[in-house]
Amino acid sequence: MNHEHTVAEIRDLRVRVDGRLIVDGVNLRVPPGRVTALIGASGSGKTTTGLALLGEYPAGAEVTGEVRVEGGGPVGYVPQHPAAALNPARRVSALLTDIARARVRHLPVRRRRLAARERVLEAMSEAQLPSAAELLRRYPHQLSGGQQQRVVLAQALLLGARVVVADEPTTGQDALTKSRIVEQLTAVRARGIAVVLLSHDLDVVRALADEVVVLRAGRVVESGPAQRLLLAPQHAWTRELLSVEPELPLAEAPTTEQPVLRIRALTARHRDGSRAATVVLRTPELDLFPGQSLAVVGRSGSGKTTLARCVAGLHRDHDGEVLLDGAPLPRSLRDRDRGQLAAVQYVFQDAHAAFDEHRPVVHQVARTAVRLRGTDEDTALREALTTLAGLGLPEELARRHPGRLSGGELQRAALARALLARPRVLVCDEITSGLDPVTRRGILDVLTGLVRGRDGLSLVLITHDLDTASLAHRIAVLDAGELVEQGPAPQILTTPAHPVTASLVARTRAGGTTA
Amino acid sequence: MSRLRTGRFALGVTVVAVPLLLALLGPVFAGGPGPRATSFTLGGGHWLGTDFVGRDVWRQVLHGGRPVVLTALAATALAYLVALPVGLVSALTRHRRLEDLLMRPLDVLLAVPSLLLILLAATVFEPDAVGLALLVALAQVPDAARLVRAAAAEAAARPAVEALRMQGETWWRIAVGYVGRSMLRTLAADAGTRLTGVLYLVATAAFLGVGVAPDAADWAVMVDRNRTGLFVQPWAVVVPAVLIVALTTGTNLLFDAALDKGGRRTGKEARP
């Protein structure tokens, strides 16, 4: 059994919640100094297995099996949303020193302070946090998402963890940040620490993993060395998971005369407590034609979500005009009439937060038809069920509460909710960024099908992912709030004119081919 | 998990039933006032002894529930009747002026200690029990409205509210159907503690002779007035005090059990 050294091991783990098996007989061996990647679609039991290493289970879970960590030592955890793991009221220095202090107890009192400080700085440099002195004085909310993640990692290193579990570290991050995270985890591995990577981002798995374990519905379908498994998968499910994102070129862009939506001289501001307004977006001119899709790409913080929210009437603080069929749309949603509301619909990034957790999904979806098209309750319910079924959500799932659906399923429901308004413009804000490849492909298929199938439905796709953007007819690139480039998708992707676009394209290529 | 919930429900009902039944049915069974005995005695035909003016404690307990429970419940309900719409409107409006108009006057009221407010009003109006309930409610409104506004503002900032607006939902459905529903747990917790606070505000007012006669058969007044004899005759304090505690604890337990749907969910569980 012990032919290879392992720092952590899971044997025949079964986790059952409310009678449903989430993890069904998983075996996992974590060797030191290697990256073990757990991949699988959402709901496959990745997180539950990863958290089992920490001794954490979902509430009310029945657990059988054995989890062993060498020396019973601490296991580090880098969560998907690092902000939630950092006390917002304390500075970084306090967050790190608290842990360091516990590790220097054996020293005489007067040397402890200095030793703790040394350990903190050491851990920060190992977690690739430069300019430590300045960062130490900041509060978690003053750090970027990537920096927060590295602070959490530094905490894990301070603890002396021999195993670090990284849960979807790259989800929702742009290409540049992703490559930094890869570097940082490589550095951790080089120290002989075992990394358990839970991810559905195959680029990162390709770049990092030494061992890959493929999970499906709580079972291990295949596992082995990354090289072998990624290049020559044995199991059909692995092949499906790994198959390259399909090229789904949309139907030829209809050449139409009148744009359905025009944006003119848009300047959007954000106001914070100090009343000082910061301009976050300048878009002199942007048109959307009927039956076309437009992808708005840019790094995080480039103002692409603000642009979408201005169009949807969710961000009031802007100058300039958003014209629907030549008529200006009121800035605020509350001033738009039924017709205008129905014409421009918006799908939110976080599907879980966008649903009322107390009501069954189908009833919430049906309300769109009732409110915006004036149908009666029964017709609306039937329409909702048909639309949901058409998007791949059977009645049994649709009648559940949002908490009992997965992210992908809820995002389909959110699309159905918007579609019941029979919109002319559908704004999708990063709706696939939190999803695994299989689910993402499913949603993108649905979207392309929509643009093809419906007369004159136009799509605005907000995304940081050029792969997703390549499905659109046109691409607009935002950087630091400025619209730097726009044009037909093939042109932007093959001959980018602006340096920002060029670097985004280059990053995506590099990410896709790293083996 | 559901057995646990039923258990808590049953416990809550039991704990709250005793003071409620005593308050509602007590006066029916109390009978006429017997002859007065010596203050603070035990035994002598008095089941729970005698109080500070020599009355039978058990009889006082039977009579004393109704005013306390009714005044406190009415005052709490009244406070929320005003605080809920004010808090909801100011959390959901986008006009800062309206928010200021609704909340700032209440902030001024908040600066005045509630007892002082009640005493001040009492010197002008000489309130009866109804008046006292109104005054106590008034004293509670600023506090409750701020709490409602804070809880509602959190819920109103969620994407779910924007999604509802996108669907063209009415203000009523958004404010009551979603925001109100989301803050129910916070409100229930607050209602429990507020009821306790109100009970003792009513008692203190009574002690100072506002709204209730100082020797009235009233649990809160009994606790206050019989304190002096606590070591001679504890029952006159302990019984009404325990009843008040049972009333508030039971209410809290009931709310908790009613709002706890199939165990708590953790963030981890929701994720894959």
Short mmCIF file of all heavy atoms in Angstrom, two decimals, chain A residues 17 43 47 51 56 167 309 312 314 316 332-335 341 344-345 348 353-354 356-358 364 367-368 371-372 417, chain B residues 1 92-94 158-160 162-170 173 177-178 181-182 264-266 268-272:
data_model
loop_
_atom_site.label_atom_id
_atom_site.label_comp_id
_atom_site.label_asym_id
_atom_site.label_seq_id
_atom_site.Cartn_x
_atom_site.Cartn_y
_atom_site.Cartn_z
N VAL A 17 -26.01 13.66 1.85
CA VAL A 17 -26.78 14.76 2.43
C VAL A 17 -28.23 14.60 1.99
O VAL A 17 -28.51 14.46 0.80
CB VAL A 17 -26.25 16.13 1.94
CG1 VAL A 17 -27.12 17.24 2.49
CG2 VAL A 17 -24.82 16.33 2.38
N GLY A 43 -21.28 20.11 -9.41
CA GLY A 43 -22.10 19.07 -8.81
C GLY A 43 -21.44 17.70 -8.85
O GLY A 43 -22.06 16.71 -8.49
N THR A 47 -15.69 20.00 -4.65
CA THR A 47 -15.51 20.80 -3.45
C THR A 47 -15.69 19.97 -2.20
O THR A 47 -14.92 20.09 -1.24
CB THR A 47 -16.49 21.99 -3.45
OG1 THR A 47 -16.28 22.74 -4.63
CG2 THR A 47 -16.26 22.89 -2.26
N LEU A 51 -12.84 19.67 0.54
CA LEU A 51 -13.06 20.14 1.91
C LEU A 51 -12.92 19.00 2.92
O LEU A 51 -12.62 19.23 4.08
CB LEU A 51 -14.43 20.80 2.03
CG LEU A 51 -14.53 22.18 1.39
CD1 LEU A 51 -15.96 22.70 1.46
CD2 LEU A 51 -13.60 23.16 2.08
N GLU A 56 -13.96 19.24 6.82
CA GLU A 56 -15.21 20.01 6.73
C GLU A 56 -16.20 19.26 5.87
O GLU A 56 -15.86 18.75 4.80
CB GLU A 56 -14.93 21.36 6.07
CG GLU A 56 -14.25 22.35 6.97
CD GLU A 56 -15.22 22.97 7.96
OE1 GLU A 56 -16.38 23.16 7.59
OE2 GLU A 56 -14.80 23.22 9.10
N ASP A 167 -9.55 26.12 -4.25
CA ASP A 167 -10.88 25.89 -4.81
C ASP A 167 -11.15 26.90 -5.93
O ASP A 167 -11.34 28.07 -5.65
CB ASP A 167 -11.92 26.02 -3.68
CG ASP A 167 -13.30 25.60 -4.13
OD1 ASP A 167 -13.45 25.19 -5.30
OD2 ASP A 167 -14.22 25.68 -3.31
N ARG A 309 -24.89 47.62 -17.58
CA ARG A 309 -25.89 48.10 -16.62
C ARG A 309 -26.51 49.43 -17.07
O ARG A 309 -27.67 49.70 -16.79
CB ARG A 309 -25.26 48.23 -15.23
CG ARG A 309 -24.92 46.86 -14.64
CD ARG A 309 -24.20 46.99 -13.31
NE ARG A 309 -25.05 47.62 -12.31
CZ ARG A 309 -25.93 46.97 -11.55
NH1 ARG A 309 -26.06 45.68 -11.68
NH2 ARG A 309 -26.64 47.61 -10.66
N ALA A 312 -29.12 48.44 -19.55
CA ALA A 312 -30.26 47.79 -18.93
C ALA A 312 -31.03 48.71 -18.00
O ALA A 312 -32.10 48.36 -17.52
CB ALA A 312 -29.79 46.56 -18.16
N LEU A 314 -29.81 49.84 -15.11
CA LEU A 314 -29.47 49.52 -13.72
C LEU A 314 -28.42 50.48 -13.17
O LEU A 314 -28.16 50.50 -11.97
CB LEU A 314 -28.95 48.09 -13.62
CG LEU A 314 -29.97 47.01 -13.95
CD1 LEU A 314 -29.30 45.66 -14.14
CD2 LEU A 314 -31.02 46.93 -12.87
N ARG A 316 -27.79 54.45 -13.18
CA ARG A 316 -28.45 55.68 -13.58
C ARG A 316 -27.48 56.82 -13.82
O ARG A 316 -27.78 57.76 -14.54
CB ARG A 316 -29.42 56.14 -12.49
CG ARG A 316 -30.70 55.37 -12.47
CD ARG A 316 -31.62 56.00 -11.47
NE ARG A 316 -31.12 55.87 -10.12
CZ ARG A 316 -30.96 56.89 -9.28
NH1 ARG A 316 -31.27 58.11 -9.65
NH2 ARG A 316 -30.50 56.68 -8.06
N SER A 332 -33.24 55.26 -15.83
CA SER A 332 -33.51 54.29 -14.77
C SER A 332 -34.61 53.35 -15.20
O SER A 332 -35.58 53.71 -15.85
CB SER A 332 -33.95 55.01 -13.50
OG SER A 332 -34.45 54.05 -12.60
N LEU A 333 -34.39 52.12 -14.80
CA LEU A 333 -35.37 51.06 -15.01
C LEU A 333 -36.76 51.49 -14.56
O LEU A 333 -37.76 51.16 -15.19
CB LEU A 333 -34.90 49.90 -14.13
CG LEU A 333 -35.22 48.49 -14.52
CD1 LEU A 333 -34.75 48.24 -15.92
CD2 LEU A 333 -34.52 47.56 -13.57
N ARG A 334 -36.82 52.25 -13.46
CA ARG A 334 -38.13 52.54 -12.88
C ARG A 334 -38.93 53.48 -13.76
O ARG A 334 -40.13 53.61 -13.60
CB ARG A 334 -37.97 53.16 -11.50
CG ARG A 334 -37.10 52.30 -10.61
CD ARG A 334 -37.17 52.78 -9.19
NE ARG A 334 -35.90 52.56 -8.51
CZ ARG A 334 -35.78 52.43 -7.20
NH1 ARG A 334 -36.83 52.50 -6.43
NH2 ARG A 334 -34.61 52.23 -6.66
N ASP A 335 -38.22 54.20 -14.66
CA ASP A 335 -38.94 55.12 -15.52
C ASP A 335 -39.28 54.49 -16.86
O ASP A 335 -39.90 55.12 -17.71
CB ASP A 335 -38.10 56.38 -15.76
CG ASP A 335 -37.76 57.05 -14.44
OD1 ASP A 335 -38.61 57.01 -13.54
OD2 ASP A 335 -36.65 57.59 -14.31
N LEU A 341 -39.14 47.91 -20.97
CA LEU A 341 -38.57 46.89 -20.08
C LEU A 341 -38.45 45.56 -20.82
O LEU A 341 -37.42 44.88 -20.75
CB LEU A 341 -39.46 46.69 -18.85
CG LEU A 341 -39.31 47.66 -17.71
CD1 LEU A 341 -40.31 47.34 -16.62
CD2 LEU A 341 -37.91 47.59 -17.13
N VAL A 344 -35.51 45.37 -23.57
CA VAL A 344 -34.12 45.19 -23.14
C VAL A 344 -34.11 44.37 -21.87
O VAL A 344 -34.57 44.82 -20.83
CB VAL A 344 -33.43 46.55 -22.88
CG1 VAL A 344 -31.98 46.34 -22.50
CG2 VAL A 344 -33.53 47.45 -24.09
N GLN A 345 -33.65 43.14 -21.94
CA GLN A 345 -33.59 42.29 -20.75
C GLN A 345 -32.15 41.97 -20.39
O GLN A 345 -31.27 42.02 -21.25
CB GLN A 345 -34.38 41.00 -20.99
CG GLN A 345 -35.89 41.18 -20.87
CD GLN A 345 -36.33 41.32 -19.42
OE1 GLN A 345 -36.03 40.50 -18.57
NE2 GLN A 345 -37.06 42.39 -19.13
N PHE A 348 -28.08 38.18 -15.13
CA PHE A 348 -27.05 38.53 -14.17
C PHE A 348 -25.94 37.48 -14.10
O PHE A 348 -26.16 36.31 -14.37
CB PHE A 348 -27.66 38.70 -12.78
CG PHE A 348 -28.59 39.86 -12.69
CD1 PHE A 348 -29.90 39.74 -13.09
CD2 PHE A 348 -28.14 41.08 -12.22
CE1 PHE A 348 -30.76 40.81 -13.03
CE2 PHE A 348 -29.00 42.16 -12.16
CZ PHE A 348 -30.31 42.03 -12.56
N ALA A 353 -27.78 34.64 -6.77
CA ALA A 353 -28.20 35.88 -6.11
C ALA A 353 -29.35 36.55 -6.83
O ALA A 353 -30.04 37.39 -6.25
CB ALA A 353 -27.01 36.84 -6.02
N ALA A 354 -29.57 36.19 -8.08
CA ALA A 354 -30.59 36.89 -8.87
C ALA A 354 -31.97 36.24 -8.75
O ALA A 354 -32.91 36.68 -9.37
CB ALA A 354 -30.17 36.96 -10.33
N ASP A 356 -35.08 34.79 -6.10
CA ASP A 356 -35.64 34.82 -4.75
C ASP A 356 -35.60 33.39 -4.20
O ASP A 356 -36.20 32.50 -4.78
CB ASP A 356 -37.08 35.33 -4.85
CG ASP A 356 -37.78 35.35 -3.50
OD1 ASP A 356 -37.19 34.87 -2.52
OD2 ASP A 356 -38.91 35.86 -3.44
N GLU A 357 -34.87 33.22 -3.09
CA GLU A 357 -34.65 31.86 -2.62
C GLU A 357 -35.89 31.22 -2.01
O GLU A 357 -35.89 30.05 -1.70
CB GLU A 357 -33.48 31.81 -1.63
CG GLU A 357 -33.66 32.58 -0.32
CD GLU A 357 -33.19 34.03 -0.43
OE1 GLU A 357 -33.32 34.62 -1.53
OE2 GLU A 357 -32.72 34.56 0.58
N HIS A 358 -36.95 32.02 -1.86
CA HIS A 358 -38.12 31.48 -1.16
C HIS A 358 -39.21 30.97 -2.08
O HIS A 358 -40.21 30.45 -1.62
CB HIS A 358 -38.72 32.55 -0.24
CG HIS A 358 -37.73 33.12 0.71
ND1 HIS A 358 -37.10 32.35 1.66
CD2 HIS A 358 -37.22 34.36 0.85
CE1 HIS A 358 -36.27 33.10 2.34
NE2 HIS A 358 -36.32 34.32 1.87
N GLN A 364 -41.16 32.23 -10.52
CA GLN A 364 -40.45 33.49 -10.74
C GLN A 364 -40.27 33.74 -12.22
O GLN A 364 -40.36 34.88 -12.68
CB GLN A 364 -39.08 33.43 -10.05
CG GLN A 364 -39.20 33.17 -8.57
CD GLN A 364 -37.85 33.31 -7.88
OE1 GLN A 364 -37.13 34.27 -8.08
NE2 GLN A 364 -37.51 32.35 -7.05
N ARG A 367 -43.50 35.07 -13.92
CA ARG A 367 -43.92 36.44 -13.62
C ARG A 367 -43.58 37.41 -14.75
O ARG A 367 -44.26 38.41 -14.94
CB ARG A 367 -43.26 36.93 -12.33
CG ARG A 367 -43.82 36.34 -11.07
CD ARG A 367 -45.25 36.68 -10.84
NE ARG A 367 -45.45 38.12 -10.62
CZ ARG A 367 -46.64 38.69 -10.53
NH1 ARG A 367 -47.73 37.97 -10.64
NH2 ARG A 367 -46.73 39.98 -10.34
N THR A 368 -42.48 37.14 -15.49
CA THR A 368 -42.11 38.04 -16.59
C THR A 368 -43.26 38.17 -17.57
O THR A 368 -43.62 39.27 -17.99
CB THR A 368 -40.89 37.50 -17.33
OG1 THR A 368 -39.87 37.22 -16.38
CG2 THR A 368 -40.38 38.50 -18.32
N ARG A 371 -46.20 40.14 -15.96
CA ARG A 371 -45.99 41.57 -15.77
C ARG A 371 -45.73 42.32 -17.07
O ARG A 371 -46.21 43.42 -17.26
CB ARG A 371 -44.81 41.81 -14.82
CG ARG A 371 -45.08 41.45 -13.38
CD ARG A 371 -46.16 42.27 -12.77
NE ARG A 371 -45.90 43.71 -12.89
CZ ARG A 371 -46.80 44.65 -12.67
NH1 ARG A 371 -48.02 44.32 -12.34
NH2 ARG A 371 -46.48 45.92 -12.78
N LEU A 372 -44.90 41.72 -17.94
CA LEU A 372 -44.46 42.50 -19.10
C LEU A 372 -45.32 42.26 -20.34
O LEU A 372 -45.34 43.06 -21.25
CB LEU A 372 -42.99 42.20 -19.41
CG LEU A 372 -42.01 42.67 -18.33
CD1 LEU A 372 -40.59 42.32 -18.70
CD2 LEU A 372 -42.12 44.18 -18.11
N ARG A 417 -36.24 33.35 -17.88
CA ARG A 417 -36.96 34.47 -17.28
C ARG A 417 -36.88 35.70 -18.18
O ARG A 417 -37.86 36.40 -18.38
CB ARG A 417 -36.36 34.77 -15.91
CG ARG A 417 -36.93 36.00 -15.26
CD ARG A 417 -36.58 36.08 -13.82
NE ARG A 417 -35.15 36.29 -13.60
CZ ARG A 417 -34.60 36.40 -12.40
NH1 ARG A 417 -35.35 36.32 -11.33
NH2 ARG A 417 -33.31 36.58 -12.28
N MET B 1 -33.45 15.98 11.54
CA MET B 1 -33.45 17.44 11.57
C MET B 1 -34.87 17.97 11.79
O MET B 1 -35.09 18.91 12.51
CB MET B 1 -32.91 17.96 10.25
CG MET B 1 -32.12 19.23 10.44
SD MET B 1 -31.32 19.65 8.91
CE MET B 1 -29.89 18.61 8.94
N LEU B 92 -35.89 51.52 -0.01
CA LEU B 92 -36.10 51.20 -1.43
C LEU B 92 -36.16 52.43 -2.32
O LEU B 92 -36.10 52.31 -3.53
CB LEU B 92 -37.38 50.39 -1.60
CG LEU B 92 -37.25 48.92 -1.21
CD1 LEU B 92 -38.60 48.26 -1.08
CD2 LEU B 92 -36.41 48.18 -2.23
N THR B 93 -36.25 53.61 -1.72
CA THR B 93 -36.36 54.79 -2.57
C THR B 93 -35.00 55.14 -3.13
O THR B 93 -33.96 54.80 -2.58
CB THR B 93 -36.92 56.00 -1.79
OG1 THR B 93 -37.09 57.06 -2.70
CG2 THR B 93 -35.98 56.43 -0.68
N ARG B 94 -35.00 55.81 -4.29
CA ARG B 94 -33.72 56.27 -4.82
C ARG B 94 -33.57 57.76 -4.57
O ARG B 94 -32.61 58.37 -4.95
CB ARG B 94 -33.62 55.96 -6.30
CG ARG B 94 -34.69 56.65 -7.09
CD ARG B 94 -34.63 56.31 -8.54
NE ARG B 94 -35.96 56.37 -9.09
CZ ARG B 94 -36.22 56.74 -10.32
NH1 ARG B 94 -35.25 57.01 -11.13
NH2 ARG B 94 -37.45 56.78 -10.75
N ARG B 158 -29.52 43.42 -3.38
CA ARG B 158 -29.21 42.14 -4.04
C ARG B 158 -29.66 42.17 -5.50
O ARG B 158 -30.61 42.84 -5.85
CB ARG B 158 -29.94 41.00 -3.33
CG ARG B 158 -29.44 40.77 -1.94
CD ARG B 158 -30.12 39.56 -1.34
NE ARG B 158 -30.03 39.59 0.10
CZ ARG B 158 -30.81 38.89 0.90
NH1 ARG B 158 -31.74 38.12 0.38
NH2 ARG B 158 -30.67 38.96 2.20
N PRO B 159 -28.97 41.40 -6.35
CA PRO B 159 -29.37 41.33 -7.75
C PRO B 159 -30.81 40.85 -7.92
O PRO B 159 -31.46 41.22 -8.89
CB PRO B 159 -28.41 40.30 -8.35
CG PRO B 159 -27.23 40.31 -7.47
CD PRO B 159 -27.72 40.65 -6.10
N ALA B 160 -31.30 40.07 -6.96
CA ALA B 160 -32.67 39.57 -7.08
C ALA B 160 -33.66 40.73 -7.20
O ALA B 160 -34.64 40.64 -7.95
CB ALA B 160 -33.01 38.70 -5.88
N GLU B 162 -33.00 43.73 -8.47
CA GLU B 162 -32.86 44.28 -9.82
C GLU B 162 -33.55 43.38 -10.83
O GLU B 162 -34.18 43.86 -11.78
CB GLU B 162 -31.37 44.41 -10.16
CG GLU B 162 -30.69 45.47 -9.33
CD GLU B 162 -29.25 45.70 -9.73
OE1 GLU B 162 -28.62 44.76 -10.25
OE2 GLU B 162 -28.76 46.82 -9.53
N ALA B 163 -33.45 42.07 -10.62
CA ALA B 163 -34.12 41.14 -11.53
C ALA B 163 -35.63 41.32 -11.46
O ALA B 163 -36.32 41.28 -12.48
CB ALA B 163 -33.74 39.70 -11.18
N LEU B 164 -36.15 41.55 -10.27
CA LEU B 164 -37.59 41.77 -10.12
C LEU B 164 -38.01 43.06 -10.82
O LEU B 164 -39.04 43.11 -11.48
CB LEU B 164 -37.96 41.84 -8.63
CG LEU B 164 -37.96 40.50 -7.89
CD1 LEU B 164 -38.09 40.72 -6.40
CD2 LEU B 164 -39.09 39.62 -8.38
N ARG B 165 -37.17 44.11 -10.70
CA ARG B 165 -37.49 45.37 -11.39
C ARG B 165 -37.47 45.15 -12.89
O ARG B 165 -38.29 45.69 -13.62
CB ARG B 165 -36.44 46.43 -11.03
CG ARG B 165 -36.54 46.88 -9.62
CD ARG B 165 -36.27 48.38 -9.48
NE ARG B 165 -36.55 48.77 -8.13
CZ ARG B 165 -35.61 48.89 -7.18
NH1 ARG B 165 -34.35 48.68 -7.48
NH2 ARG B 165 -35.94 49.22 -5.97
N MET B 166 -36.50 44.34 -13.34
CA MET B 166 -36.38 44.02 -14.76
C MET B 166 -37.65 43.35 -15.26
O MET B 166 -38.01 43.47 -16.42
CB MET B 166 -35.20 43.06 -14.90
CG MET B 166 -34.48 43.11 -16.20
SD MET B 166 -33.36 44.50 -16.23
CE MET B 166 -33.64 45.09 -17.85
N GLN B 167 -38.31 42.61 -14.39
CA GLN B 167 -39.54 41.92 -14.76
C GLN B 167 -40.75 42.84 -14.66
O GLN B 167 -41.86 42.42 -14.89
CB GLN B 167 -39.79 40.73 -13.84
CG GLN B 167 -38.92 39.54 -14.11
CD GLN B 167 -39.26 38.40 -13.18
OE1 GLN B 167 -39.06 38.49 -11.97
NE2 GLN B 167 -39.78 37.32 -13.72
N GLY B 168 -40.51 44.09 -14.27
CA GLY B 168 -41.61 45.03 -14.13
C GLY B 168 -42.50 44.75 -12.95
O GLY B 168 -43.68 45.09 -12.97
N GLU B 169 -41.97 44.14 -11.90
CA GLU B 169 -42.79 43.85 -10.73
C GLU B 169 -43.21 45.14 -10.02
O GLU B 169 -42.51 46.16 -10.09
CB GLU B 169 -42.00 42.97 -9.73
CG GLU B 169 -41.91 41.51 -10.14
CD GLU B 169 -43.24 40.79 -10.06
OE1 GLU B 169 -44.28 41.43 -9.84
OE2 GLU B 169 -43.23 39.56 -10.24
N THR B 170 -44.33 45.07 -9.33
CA THR B 170 -44.81 46.24 -8.62
C THR B 170 -43.96 46.49 -7.38
O THR B 170 -43.30 45.59 -6.88
CB THR B 170 -46.26 46.01 -8.15
OG1 THR B 170 -46.30 44.78 -7.44
CG2 THR B 170 -47.20 45.94 -9.32
N ARG B 173 -44.88 44.11 -4.52
CA ARG B 173 -44.35 42.75 -4.61
C ARG B 173 -42.86 42.72 -4.27
O ARG B 173 -42.38 41.77 -3.67
CB ARG B 173 -44.55 42.20 -6.02
CG ARG B 173 -45.86 41.49 -6.16
CD ARG B 173 -45.67 40.33 -7.10
NE ARG B 173 -46.89 39.57 -7.22
CZ ARG B 173 -46.92 38.25 -7.25
NH1 ARG B 173 -45.80 37.57 -7.18
NH2 ARG B 173 -48.05 37.61 -7.37
N GLY B 177 -43.10 41.26 -0.87
CA GLY B 177 -42.91 39.87 -1.31
C GLY B 177 -41.48 39.41 -1.23
O GLY B 177 -41.22 38.27 -0.89
N TYR B 178 -40.53 40.30 -1.55
CA TYR B 178 -39.15 39.83 -1.51
C TYR B 178 -38.36 40.42 -0.35
O TYR B 178 -37.87 39.70 0.50
CB TYR B 178 -38.42 40.11 -2.83
CG TYR B 178 -36.99 39.64 -2.75
CD1 TYR B 178 -36.71 38.28 -2.75
CD2 TYR B 178 -35.94 40.52 -2.58
CE1 TYR B 178 -35.42 37.81 -2.62
CE2 TYR B 178 -34.65 40.07 -2.44
CZ TYR B 178 -34.40 38.72 -2.46
OH TYR B 178 -33.13 38.25 -2.30
N ARG B 181 -39.88 39.57 2.99
CA ARG B 181 -39.71 38.14 3.28
C ARG B 181 -38.26 37.83 3.68
O ARG B 181 -38.01 37.01 4.55
CB ARG B 181 -40.10 37.34 2.02
CG ARG B 181 -39.86 35.85 2.09
CD ARG B 181 -40.81 35.19 3.05
NE ARG B 181 -40.48 33.79 3.29
CZ ARG B 181 -39.51 33.37 4.07
NH1 ARG B 181 -38.74 34.25 4.70
NH2 ARG B 181 -39.27 32.09 4.25
N SER B 182 -37.31 38.52 3.01
CA SER B 182 -35.90 38.22 3.27
C SER B 182 -35.46 38.65 4.66
O SER B 182 -34.52 38.10 5.21
CB SER B 182 -35.01 38.93 2.24
OG SER B 182 -35.34 38.51 0.96
N ARG B 264 -30.04 24.73 8.91
CA ARG B 264 -29.34 25.86 8.32
C ARG B 264 -28.53 25.40 7.13
O ARG B 264 -27.96 24.33 7.13
CB ARG B 264 -28.43 26.49 9.35
CG ARG B 264 -29.23 27.27 10.31
CD ARG B 264 -28.38 28.06 11.26
NE ARG B 264 -29.26 28.62 12.26
CZ ARG B 264 -29.69 27.93 13.28
NH1 ARG B 264 -29.33 26.69 13.44
NH2 ARG B 264 -30.51 28.48 14.16
N ARG B 265 -28.50 26.25 6.13
CA ARG B 265 -27.67 25.94 4.99
C ARG B 265 -26.36 26.68 5.13
O ARG B 265 -26.34 27.82 5.52
CB ARG B 265 -28.35 26.38 3.70
CG ARG B 265 -29.47 25.47 3.38
CD ARG B 265 -30.08 25.84 2.06
NE ARG B 265 -31.08 24.84 1.76
CZ ARG B 265 -30.81 23.74 1.09
NH1 ARG B 265 -29.60 23.51 0.65
NH2 ARG B 265 -31.74 22.86 0.86
N THR B 266 -25.27 26.01 4.75
CA THR B 266 -24.00 26.71 4.76
C THR B 266 -23.66 27.03 3.32
O THR B 266 -24.20 26.45 2.39
CB THR B 266 -22.90 25.83 5.35
OG1 THR B 266 -22.85 24.63 4.57
CG2 THR B 266 -23.17 25.49 6.78
N LYS B 268 -21.03 26.37 1.83
CA LYS B 268 -20.32 25.26 1.20
C LYS B 268 -21.27 24.30 0.53
O LYS B 268 -21.00 23.75 -0.52
CB LYS B 268 -19.56 24.49 2.27
CG LYS B 268 -18.22 25.06 2.55
CD LYS B 268 -17.66 24.38 3.76
CE LYS B 268 -17.00 25.36 4.67
NZ LYS B 268 -17.20 25.05 6.04
N GLU B 269 -22.40 24.11 1.18
CA GLU B 269 -23.32 23.11 0.69
C GLU B 269 -23.85 23.48 -0.68
O GLU B 269 -24.07 22.64 -1.53
CB GLU B 269 -24.47 23.01 1.67
CG GLU B 269 -25.21 21.73 1.56
CD GLU B 269 -26.33 21.75 2.57
OE1 GLU B 269 -26.49 22.75 3.27
OE2 GLU B 269 -27.03 20.77 2.65
N ALA B 270 -24.03 24.78 -0.87
CA ALA B 270 -24.64 25.22 -2.11
C ALA B 270 -23.69 25.05 -3.29
O ALA B 270 -24.12 24.90 -4.41
CB ALA B 270 -25.05 26.68 -1.99
N ARG B 271 -22.41 25.06 -2.98
CA ARG B 271 -21.47 25.00 -4.09
C ARG B 271 -21.17 23.55 -4.45
O ARG B 271 -21.35 22.66 -3.65
CB ARG B 271 -20.19 25.73 -3.70
CG ARG B 271 -20.34 27.23 -3.88
CD ARG B 271 -19.03 27.93 -3.80
NE ARG B 271 -18.55 28.00 -2.43
CZ ARG B 271 -17.35 27.65 -2.07
NH1 ARG B 271 -16.51 27.17 -2.94
NH2 ARG B 271 -16.98 27.77 -0.82
N PRO B 272 -20.69 23.33 -5.69
CA PRO B 272 -20.41 21.95 -6.10
C PRO B 272 -19.20 21.39 -5.38
O PRO B 272 -18.35 22.14 -4.96
CB PRO B 272 -20.09 22.10 -7.58
CG PRO B 272 -19.70 23.51 -7.77
CD PRO B 272 -20.47 24.30 -6.76
#
